Amino acid sequence: MSARTESLRQPVGDPGADAGRRGRRGIVLAVLAVLVVLAGVYVGAAYALADRVPFGTTVAGEDVGGLSAADAVARLEASVGQAAAEPVPVQVDDDTDLLDPTEAGLGLDLEATVDSVTGFSLAPQRMWRHVVGAGRLPVETTADDAALTAALEDVAARTDREPVDGTVAFDGTDVVAGDPVEGRALDVVAAADLVEERWFAADEPIVLPADTVPVDVTQAETDAAVQVAEAALAAPLTVVVDEREVALEPAALAPALAMSPTGGDLALTVDGAALREALLAADPELEAEPRDASVRLSGGRPEIVPARNGLTLPPEELAAAALPALAPDAERRAVVEDAVVEPETTTAEVEALGITEVVSTFSTPYPDNPPRTNNLRVAAETIRGTLLEPGDVFDLNEILGERTRAKGYQAAGVISNGRFTEGVGGGVSQVATTTYNAAFFAGLEVLDFKPHSYYISRYPVGRESTLNYSPPVDMRFRNDTDTGILVDASVGGGEITVTFWGTKTWDVESVTSPRRDVEEGGVTYDDSPDCEPQAANTGFTVDTTRIWKDLDTGEEVKRETNTWRYSTGDRIICGEDPDA
C-alpha cells in the first residue's frame, strides 16, 4: 500500500496535528507583533529626526550636524555665503582670468543643500546617516545660463588669440621671414558647463577648454615663400621696352616686390607703379609722349615735322611682364608688350594735306606808328602757323581773343562811332584786311567780313575788313578745298604780308566797279576837351566781284559780287564855329 493511501486512511480530527498548527501560528503572530513595534519605532525615529541634520555633517568646512534645517541654513549663510562672492579664478592655457560670480549669474542654494539630508523620509540610507553621520556634504549651486555665457565671452575677448600667419618681407635686398603662430578660441559652451559644475568647490583655477585656430599660411608655406623671395632678388632683371633694355639691380628692384597671401600661400607680387619709377630712374627716356606729325614754317617755307611714336609703361602690364621673369628658374627678362603709343596724326596724313606751294599772298602798307605796328606784329605772330584742314573755319576773333595789354597790345588809333580815337589793339583791322584778301585770292569761302565805315586809302576799295571783339565784328572764312592751308604772316619793311601755303585750286580775279553815288563830307566844329581833328571822308558805293577760273583752261567757273557803301565823314575842326 502506498504512502498516499495510508495518509488518506488517517483519522480526521487528530488532536496532535491541531496542536502543531496552533503553535506555528502563535510564533508568526509574535514575530508580526515585534515587526509592527519596530516599524513604529522606525517611523517615529524618522519623523523625530526629519528636521535634524545628521551629526558629523559639514558643508564647505562648516559643521552643521545636529542642527535644525533652519539653523543649518542660517549658519551656512553666515559663513559660506561670503565665500560665494569671491572671484573665481579661471585659466586658458597659460593665461589666467577672474570671473565675478554675481555678474556671471552664479549662486548657492543652501536650502536645497540642507534639504538633501533633512525632511521626512523612510529611506534606510537617510536613517543610516543619522547613525553613522553624513560627513562632507556638497553645496548645491545655481547658474544663470545667459549671464554665465556673457561673462565667459568677456573672458574669451581677453584670452582669445588671433592666428598669426607666416610672413615674408623684403628689407632692402634681405628676405625676412615671420613664423606663423596658431590662434586660440575659448569653447564658451563647454566652459560654461565646467564652471557651473566646479566654480564653488574648486581649490585651484578652473582650466577652461579652448580650441586651436589654425593659420592660413603654415610654416612649410612660409619656408617655401622664402625660397621664392630669395630667387626674385638673385640677379638683375632686364626689362625690354620696344627696342630699349634696362637692367635693374636687386636693390632697385626690391621696393617693387612683396610676398602677399593668396589662397593660403605667400605669392610674389610686383607693384607696377613702383617698378615704373625704378625703370624711369634708371633710364628717364624710357617713357616718352608720342609726337603728332605737323607742318610748320621754317625759313619762310612749310616744313613737315614727322610723327614720332611714344613709349609708355603701364603699371599693370609692367607687373604682368615682370612676375614670370622673377620665378626661380626664369630667364629674368621681362618684355613689355604694347609699350609703343602711336601718334594721333601720322606723317602720311600731314603729307596728304598737300601743303607744297603758295596758294595766295597779299600785302598792305602800314603807317609809321610804333604802337600800331606793335599791335600788327603781335596779331601776325598769333595767326602765323595756323593750319586749316579741309572744312576748317578760320575765325580771327577766336584766334586772337580779346586784345589786352597782358597779351602785349598797346593803345593805338581806332574808329569808334564815326570818330577816330584810340583803343588797346588799335590797327588789328589791318591784319583782318590783309588776311581777308589772302583768303579772297585763294578762292576760299568767305563766311563773314565787314569793310570799314570810312574808306581808308591804304586798303583795296570794297575788299577790306574791320574787326572788333565786343561788340563782335569778325572776319571768318572756310577752307572749302580738298587740301590743307597753312597761314604765314609777317610784319616788316612798312608792310604786313599774309601768305597761304597749300595746293593751288583756282585762279582768282578781282573786278572793282567805278565809284558811284559819291558824296563829299562837310565841316564840323568840336570844342570838346577831347576833340581830335579829322580830315573829311568822301562817301560812295562800290561793287567788288570775285571770279573763280579753272587753273588749266582759264575758263570762268563762278563769280560773286559784294556791294558796300562807305559813309561820308565831315572834316572835324577842334574849336568853336566862327560863324556861330
Side-chain angles (χ1 to χ4, degrees):
M1 180 178 298
S2 67
R4 177 176 176 80
T5 303
E6 289 180 357
S7 176
L8 292 175
R9 289 181 177 180
Q10 289 182 0
V12 177
D14 184 349
D18 291 340
R21 285 195 291 272
R22 284 194 296 271
R24 289 193 295 274
R25 187 180 299 116
I27 293 171
V28 171
L29 291 174
V31 171
L32 289 174
V34 172
L35 290 176
V36 169
V37 172
L38 292 175
V41 172
Y42 183 86
V43 171
Y47 184 78
L49 296 173
D51 193 44
R52 291 291 167 181
V53 178
F55 79 92
T57 300
T58 61
V59 177
E62 186 68 29
D63 186 2
V64 292
L67 298 178
S68 67
D71 290 343
V73 170
R75 178 175 291 185
L76 291 175
E77 286 177 346
S79 60
V80 179
Q82 185 175 358
E86 294 295 325
V88 180
V90 294
Q91 182 173 335
V92 182
D93 290 341
D94 295 333
D95 294 332
T96 58
D97 209 311
L98 294 174
L99 275 178
D100 184 323
T102 302
E103 292 182 0
L106 301 173
L108 302 180
D109 191 343
L110 298 177
E111 291 183 356
T113 302
V114 173
D115 286 349
S116 67
V117 292
T118 59
F120 179 75
S121 174
L122 296 178
Q125 59 269 28
R126 176 69 67 83
M127 294 300 295
W128 182 248
R129 287 180 174 176
H130 283 283
V131 175
V132 300
R136 183 178 178 180
L137 192 64
V139 179
E140 297 287 336
T141 61
T142 61
D144 181 330
D145 291 342
L148 179 56
T149 297
L152 287 171
E153 286 175 346
D154 288 341
V155 172
R158 294 188 290 272
T159 60
D160 280 2
R161 186 171 59 223
E162 291 292 329
V164 178
D165 288 333
T167 59
V168 175
F170 296 95
D171 183 6
T173 56
D174 294 330
V175 176
V176 181
D179 294 335
V181 179
E182 290 183 328
R184 180 181 65 202
L186 179 65
D187 185 341
V188 174
V189 175
D193 293 339
L194 197 62
V195 169
E196 185 175 354
E197 177 185 350
R198 301 182 184 177
W199 73 273
F200 186 73
D203 296 329
E204 296 179 351
I206 303 173
V207 178
L208 303 182
D211 297 325
T212 297
V213 181
V215 295
D216 288 332
V217 181
T218 65
Q219 187 65 56
E221 291 162 342
T222 303
D223 294 342
V226 168
Q227 296 180 6
V228 172
E230 290 176 343
L233 292 179
L237 173 69
T238 298
V239 179
V240 181
V241 181
D242 195 24
E243 298 179 353
R244 303 175 73 95
E245 293 187 5
V246 178
L248 286 181
E249 294 296 328
L253 177 62
L257 304 183
M259 299 299 296
S260 304
T262 306
D265 294 329
L266 286 174
L268 178 68
T269 59
V270 178
D271 183 337
L275 182 57
R276 174 179 174 271
E277 290 183 9
L279 287 168
L280 292 177
D283 183 358
E285 296 182 1
L286 190 60
E287 192 172 62
E289 292 292 329
R291 183 180 67 196
D292 286 340
S294 62
V295 59
R296 65 184 180 186
L297 291 163
S298 177
R301 296 188 60 83
E303 175 185 73
I304 293 179
V305 179
R308 182 185 64 197
N309 288 336
L311 291 177
T312 185
L313 301 174
E316 299 81 3
E317 295 184 17
L318 270 179
L323 190 59
L326 295 172
D329 298 325
E331 187 182 355
R332 303 192 69 81
R333 187 176 178 86
V335 179
V336 182
E337 303 291 345
D338 301 325
V340 175
V341 181
E342 294 184 352
E344 293 184 3
T345 304
T346 66
T347 303
E349 288 172 334
V350 173
E351 290 173 345
L353 291 176
I355 302 174
T356 59
E357 59 183 331
V358 173
V359 175
S360 64
T361 186
F362 200 82
S363 298
T364 57
Y366 56 81
D368 183 12
N369 184 319
R372 188 178 186 280
T373 303
N374 169 79
N375 295 340
L376 294 181
R377 186 170 287 111
V378 172
E381 290 175 354
T382 303
I383 68 171
R384 186 174 188 268
T386 300
L387 175 64
L388 301 176
E389 295 187 17
D392 286 351
V393 172
F394 181 98
D395 186 319
L396 188 55
N397 260 336
E398 182 179 289
I399 294 173
L400 297 181
E402 185 176 2
R403 274 68 80 186
T404 64
R405 293 188 184 275
K407 293 179 179 179
Y409 290 100
Q410 299 177 13
V414 297
I415 300 176
S416 177
N417 297 320
R419 292 289 188 96
F420 288 93
T421 183
E422 283 196 346
V424 175
V428 173
S429 289
Q430 185 163 358
V431 177
T433 292
T434 311
T435 306
Y436 165 75
N437 276 274
F440 182 97
F441 285 105
L444 303 179
E445 177 187 7
V446 176
L447 302 175
D448 192 10
F449 86 106
K450 179 182 179 182
H452 289 81
S453 56
Y454 295 146
Y455 172 62
I456 301 173
S457 61
R458 61 179 168 268
Y459 301 150
V461 177
R463 214 176 59 233
E464 42 96 7
S465 180
T466 186
L467 191 72
N468 194 62
Y469 189 76
S470 180
V473 177
D474 209 351
M475 194 282 296
R476 301 184 307 127
F477 61 87
R478 186 196 317 277
N479 177 13
D480 56 348
T481 70
D482 295 332
T483 58
I485 294 291
L486 180 64
V487 179
D488 188 10
S490 62
V491 175
E495 287 187 331
I496 174 173
T497 301
V498 176
T499 302
F500 286 179
W501 289 85
T503 299
K504 193 171 180 64
T505 305
W506 306 102
D507 274 334
V508 176
E509 180 181 344
S510 178
V511 177
T512 303
S513 71
R515 304 178 188 186
R516 63 181 182 275
D517 301 327
V518 178
E519 183 179 356
E520 299 295 337
V523 177
T524 299
Y525 290 90
D526 184 356
D527 60 357
S528 64
D530 57 351
C531 173
E532 291 287 342
Q534 179 176 312
N537 285 280
T538 302
F540 59 90
T541 301
V542 67
D543 299 325
T544 302
T545 300
R546 179 164 56 156
I547 303 172
W548 285 263
K549 294 182 178 181
D550 185 273
L551 280 177
D552 297 326
T553 64
E555 295 181 358
E556 181 180 327
V557 176
K558 60 180 178 178
R559 67 170 52 204
E560 177 185 77
T561 299
N562 288 302
T563 300
W564 182 251
R565 172 72 186 180
Y566 286 104
S567 300
T568 301
D570 289 345
R571 175 188 177 194
I572 305 297
I573 299 176
C574 295
E576 295 184 359
D577 185 351
D579 296 331

